[in-house]
Amino acid sequence: MINIAIDGPAGAGKSTIAKKVAAAKGYIYVDTGAMYRAMALYLLRSGIDRDDTDAISAACQAPEITIEYRDGIQVVLLDGENVNEYLRTPRVSDMASRSSANPDVRAKLLQLQQDLARRQNVVMDGRDIGTVVLPDAQVKIFLTASVDVRADRRYKELIEKGEKADLGEIKAQIKERDARDMNRPIAPLKQADDAVLVDTSDMTIEEVVAAITRIIEEKI
């Protein structure tokens, strides 16, 4: 199986790029965040309190979570059920935020993500894919951009949605997120030794996809 790992800081465009690269290569895009949300949904359905660490650790061992594509649409399966429509609710988001910090939840999702990568050609994005989740991936990309560029992208995205946004505040939040991700005790954000650095600060989405596609073709 071919495994492509794309890591990088918040706002670097990992998900957008990973989806397009996967589509271009005919691989499965693995939305790791959606898998954590599916786990959160399972915990909520099981009546687990978001602050009950022991109960979360025990319950998270049971569910089977995977991703498939049906008619070109990514489908997240929780014990065989398509749960796409339930993953973006505030309750699920809140539980996912809490439960994703649990080491046992992370270990379980790590196992499920690695199982998926052994069965199918995948493009997986995150902050520890090349270092922890898929350390043997044939291609590893570390996607980044300057703080100013990432903040500006996020600002424009919010404005286009009709939401209020403060560029200075967004920039401060990104800096804080970077520091937190790089210094967290479990699977911190860092570039794998064998990853190719791609700085997208002065590149369009199409240019980034083309550059990564070339890297994949050179390595595989």
Side-chain angles (χ1 to χ4, degrees):
M1 293 295 101
I2 304 300
N3 293 171
I4 313 297
I6 300 180
D7 289 307
K14 297 184 298 298
S15 295
T16 298
I17 298 302
K19 289 175 185 176
K20 289 183 175 294
V21 170
K25 300 298 295 182
Y27 298 167
I28 296 291
Y29 166 61
V30 180
D31 186 343
T32 56
M35 295 180 77
Y36 276 97
R37 285 175 175 272
M39 176 65 78
L41 177 63
Y42 175 82
L43 295 172
L44 287 170
R45 287 179 171 181
S46 300
I48 306 296
D49 186 275
R50 65 179 189 177
D51 296 318
D52 192 336
T53 303
D54 291 340
I56 289 174
S57 292
C60 74
Q61 303 305 317
E64 181 68 26
I65 299 167
T66 192
I67 290 176
E68 293 182 357
Y69 274 77
R70 296 178 179 175
D71 299 323
I73 303 297
Q74 176 182 280
V75 175
V76 182
L77 300 174
L78 172 59
D79 291 328
E81 176 193 355
N82 178 353
V83 293
N84 280 15
E85 64 179 296
Y86 308 114
L87 299 183
R88 300 294 169 180
T89 67
R91 288 185 70 230
V92 168
S93 296
D94 181 63
M95 176 60 93
S97 177
R98 300 298 185 105
S99 60
S100 63
N102 184 299
D104 294 308
V105 170
R106 298 191 70 85
K108 176 64 175 180
L109 267 297
L110 171 63
Q111 173 200 325
L112 293 172
Q113 289 157 8
Q114 290 175 334
D115 287 346
L116 181 56
R118 278 191 286 268
R119 298 195 307 270
Q120 304 196 59
N121 298 327
V122 302
V123 178
M124 196 178 297
D125 73 292
R127 290 171 178 75
D128 62 349
I129 308 303
T131 54
V132 176
V133 182
L134 300 177
D136 297 322
Q138 292 92 332
V139 180
K140 299 178 185 178
I141 305 294
F142 193 84
L143 200 68
T144 190
S146 69
V147 171
D148 286 339
V149 167
R150 286 186 282 143
D152 188 59
R153 288 173 180 169
R154 179 59 175 161
Y155 173 80
K156 289 177 179 177
E157 179 184 327
L158 291 171
I159 294 300
E160 287 174 2
K161 290 180 179 178
E163 300 179 24
K164 293 182 179 180
D166 181 279
L167 185 58
E169 184 177 328
I170 293 171
K171 185 175 179 179
Q173 290 172 346
I174 287 177
K175 286 182 176 180
E176 180 183 350
R177 179 71 176 273
D178 285 352
R180 187 167 65 248
D181 286 345
M182 288 187 289
N183 293 293
R184 68 188 186 190
I186 301 175
L189 168 67
K190 64 178 181 179
Q191 181 178 340
D193 292 338
D194 53 348
V196 178
L197 177 66
V198 177
D199 189 326
T200 70
S201 298
D202 299 313
M203 300 172 71
T204 65
I205 291 174
E206 291 72 21
E207 288 172 338
V208 177
V209 172
I212 293 176
T213 301
R214 284 195 299 272
I215 292 168
I216 293 171
E217 292 171 350
E218 290 168 1
K219 289 181 172 289
I220 298 176

